[in-house]
Amino acid sequence: MNKKFQRNIEDFTCGKCGLSVKGNGYTNHCPECLWSQHVDINPGDRAEKCQGLMKPIGFGIKQSKYILFHQCTNCGIIKKNKASKDDNFNAILKLQGV
């Protein structure tokens, strides 16, 4: 299994709110509602069969950057993802009360 990041430039429609998202190769969640989809075993490999929606459950700060925590609504796995400058900051802050 390759753990090296694989960049994939893909557009997608958010499975939670329906927003049409333009990918940049690092986009892994909806910038509006912050939901994601469980598609990777290792970042960018698109090898995960689960395909469940990933609920944003919290955030942390590492080296002055926001890190989002997502939990799969299907299998329960928790993954970390870097927040993007395009993310809805109010949605990130609302995760504090989740």
Side-chain angles (χ1 to χ4, degrees):
M1 221 176 268
N2 181 7
K3 290 190 178 200
K4 187 176 178 185
F5 174 80
Q6 297 174 41
R7 186 174 182 210
N8 288 305
I9 299 174
E10 301 170 317
D11 299 338
F12 63 93
T13 300
C14 176
K16 182 65 176 177
C17 73
L19 182 72
S20 185
V21 179
K22 178 107 173 119
N24 65 10
Y26 302 102
T27 310
N28 62 359
H29 59 271
C30 175
E32 189 56 37
C33 72
L34 308 178
W35 281 66
S36 185
Q37 188 172 2
H38 193 186
V39 295
D40 296 338
I41 293 173
N42 296 303
D45 66 12
R46 305 301 186 254
E48 180 56 61
K49 292 183 171 108
C50 176
Q51 303 292 305
L53 287 179
M54 302 282 286
K55 178 181 180 177
I57 59 169
F59 71 89
I61 300 173
K62 183 177 180 182
Q63 298 175 345
S64 300
K65 296 187 178 175
Y66 286 87
I67 306 296
L68 303 175
F69 295 92
H70 289 96
Q71 184 169 27
C72 182
T73 58
N74 191 35
C75 73
I77 194 168
I78 295 175
K79 296 210 172 208
K80 297 185 287 187
N81 297 293
K82 293 177 185 173
S84 165
K85 64 177 178 61
D86 298 326
D87 287 347
N88 178 341
F89 192 65
N90 287 328
I92 293 172
L93 293 179
K94 284 181 183 176
L95 295 175
Q96 229 175 358
V98 172

